[in-house]
Amino acid sequence: MAGPVDVGSVGARRILGIAVPTLGVLVAEPVYLLFDMAVVGRLGALALAGLAVGGLILAQVSSQLTFLSYGTTARASRRHGAGDERGAVGEGVQASWIAMGVGVAILVVVQVFAGPVTRGIAGGEEIAGEALPWLRIASFGVPLILLSMAGNGWMRGVQETRRPLMYVVAGLALSGVLCPVLVHGLLGAPRLELEGSAVANVTGQVVAAGLFVSALVRERVPLAPHIEIMKAQLVLGRDLIARSLAFQACFVSAAAVASRFGAASVAAHQLVLMIWNFLALTLDSLAIAAQTLVGAALGAGNARGAKGLARRITGWSTMFAVVLAVVFAAGYRVIPRLFTDDPSVLDRTHVVWWFFVGIIPIAGVVFALDGVLLGAGDAAFLRNATLGSALLGFLPAIWLSLAYDWGIGGIWTGLVAFMVLRLAAVCWRALSGRWAQVGSEVPRRAA
């Protein structure tokens, strides 16, 4: 067993060495999904609608399980910091068992209920008829997606971020080659149309998941399931799932309310939200670096070093966010026109643009401190802070904006309130120092 990891000399190069490859992993799949939509879009509006419905269902059943990456990173990074490399990799083994078990269960449920769920969301037999075959094939990728999440989790925990990027890119590159070939029947392949997109996706996921599993096997650690470790991971996962559901409730409500203000409003809302989501991924890369390094510091017994890392990365994230805010403030007339030239949509976009610009620096602080607290295993506090901010800030403003016809300005006022309340909560927690509990195990604590 190696000795505890030294975190006292962590500098810019090491932080960016984690953040930059992580950013590549975070943006790779959204970029591929845009490509997938472009390929399928050539089949016509009906196929594109089917992809949208099927993709929405698949995303909802898999995206709630991000604890397999974030929770595993929190636990593995502590063991890595304590010098327990076998224990850190062992967290990945147990997370992979959870991924397989939960993934197969989700696959069975989706196969049984795919028909009624697809018809309910599609609102018509024609779109459902396109979405259903795609979903039945694509759902076989759920266990593979979850295995890749678990692999990303333990590898981030041991501060290995380049290999996960290569694994993810390898899988998506294969999908990218196969997608047009199978959808349109190129190079002598059968023309599968929309179903070809699903086959390409699953094939790429097989490659990525296989690479992550092979990396575990090469570490030569015990591969048998360990119930106690899995239970501890699921406790952490419970809090992260509840937090994720709070986010989903907010953004689904926002979309539902925006749609009632007309096509221009919902289009403007989705346009700005798309840009916001991309910025969130960018800032998340620094947050994951914070999570990884803070967890290692606490695992090494260095609470003072963990607090120093928290201040440093939060400062960097805030400065980066301020620069982004200045760029988007300067581009308030130009950037929206890259996505639409519809006058009514541009008018609505300019209504919410300054709300969007104003919360970017807030997000720089919030996301970084989220990473710090996740690295400390403080998921129960983050769960409560997110739920409280949603119930007190986001959701009341959204539904009041509908009741009093405030328009999308009211929706984005709710988002500002949500972010400000989260800012107050995570700053208070960070300054309290109660999160900085040392040891190789993530402490079990109430918020």
Side-chain angles (χ1 to χ4, degrees):
M1 180 184 298
V5 172
D6 176 24
V7 296
S9 58
V10 172
R13 185 173 181 179
R14 191 166 172 193
I15 293 170
L16 292 176
I18 295 172
V20 172
T22 297
L23 176 61
V25 172
L26 293 173
V27 303
E29 186 169 358
V31 169
Y32 170 75
L33 291 177
L34 290 174
F35 173 76
D36 192 17
M37 288 180 64
V39 172
V40 170
R42 295 183 178 276
L43 297 174
L46 187 60
L48 198 56
L51 177 63
V53 170
L56 174 66
I57 297 169
L58 187 68
Q60 292 305 308
V61 300
S62 60
S63 63
Q64 306 306 321
L65 298 172
T66 54
F67 78 89
L68 287 167
S69 54
Y70 290 95
T72 305
T73 297
R75 292 180 56 84
S77 62
R78 281 192 176 248
R79 293 189 179 277
H80 173 71
D84 181 9
E85 294 301 312
R86 289 175 64 82
V89 178
E91 294 288 344
V93 171
Q94 304 310 316
S96 297
W97 279 111
I98 294 173
M100 280 302 298
V102 174
V104 170
I106 291 174
L107 171 60
V108 171
V109 171
V110 170
Q111 293 294 330
V112 171
F113 295 103
V117 171
T118 303
R119 287 190 291 273
I121 293 176
E125 289 295 330
E126 202 172 20
I127 295 175
E130 289 285 325
L132 183 57
W134 184 94
L135 180 61
R136 289 200 183 280
I137 296 169
S139 62
F140 282 91
V142 172
L144 305 169
I145 293 169
L146 301 187
L147 276 172
S148 293
M149 285 185 184
N152 262 302
W154 75 262
M155 289 184 123
R156 288 172 187 168
V158 300
Q159 300 180 24
E160 172 59 78
T161 54
R162 292 183 182 178
R163 277 194 293 160
L165 176 59
M166 290 189 294
Y167 296 167
V168 169
V169 169
L172 292 178
L174 179 59
S175 295
V177 171
L178 288 177
C179 187
V181 169
L182 296 177
V183 169
H184 297 294
L186 305 178
L187 304 176
R191 182 182 171 91
L192 301 179
E193 298 195 339
L194 184 55
E195 293 175 36
S197 164
V199 172
N201 289 349
V202 173
T203 304
Q205 288 154 3
V206 167
V207 170
L211 289 169
F212 279 113
V213 170
S214 67
L216 267 181
V217 172
R218 287 197 303 272
E219 293 291 331
R220 299 186 182 280
V221 297
L223 299 177
H226 194 301
I227 300 300
E228 290 304 313
I229 294 177
M230 285 193 278
K231 283 182 179 178
Q233 290 182 347
L234 289 170
V235 168
L236 192 60
R238 174 198 62 196
D239 296 328
L240 294 177
I241 289 172
R243 180 171 178 261
S244 179
L245 289 173
F247 285 125
Q248 292 294 327
C250 288
F251 288 109
V252 169
S253 297
V257 172
S259 67
R260 285 158 175 78
F261 294 132
S265 290
V266 73
H269 172 71
Q270 288 302 119
L271 190 158
V272 180
L273 191 62
M274 178 183 70
I275 300 172
W276 165 253
N277 287 337
F278 184 80
L279 289 185
L281 292 175
T282 304
L283 293 171
D284 256 351
S285 63
L286 277 170
I288 290 171
Q291 180 187 5
T292 299
L293 293 168
V294 165
L298 294 174
N302 189 351
R304 183 177 179 180
K307 292 176 182 177
L309 282 165
R311 288 191 297 270
R312 194 179 320 155
I313 297 177
T314 301
W316 286 12
S317 181
T318 305
M319 288 188 290
F320 181 44
V322 168
V323 171
L324 290 173
V326 171
V327 169
F328 281 94
Y332 82 105
R333 290 195 182 277
V334 176
I335 296 173
R337 290 183 180 275
L338 299 175
F339 300 94
T340 182
D341 57 3
D342 186 299
S344 61
V345 176
L346 289 171
D347 177 69
R348 296 292 84 199
T349 299
H350 289 145
V351 169
V352 300
W353 195 257
W354 298 109
F355 291 96
F356 160 65
V357 169
I359 61 175
I360 295 174
I362 296 173
V365 180
V366 171
F367 289 7
L369 290 178
D370 275 356
V372 168
L373 298 179
L374 280 171
D378 209 2
F381 174 81
L382 287 173
R383 175 201 64 203
N384 293 344
T386 305
L387 288 170
S389 299
L391 292 173
L392 298 176
F394 205 158
L395 294 175
I398 287 172
W399 295 111
L400 285 171
S401 71
L402 177 62
Y404 293 99
D405 199 26
W406 291 344
I408 56 172
I411 294 173
W412 280 76
T413 298
L415 180 56
V416 171
F418 179 60
M419 292 299 296
V420 168
L421 288 171
R422 287 176 65 196
L423 175 69
V426 295
C427 285
W428 171 80
R429 187 67 163 185
L431 292 171
S432 75
R434 293 172 58 190
W435 54 273
Q437 298 182 29
V438 300
S440 62
E441 288 280 351
V442 172
R444 296 187 180 183
R445 53 190 165 190

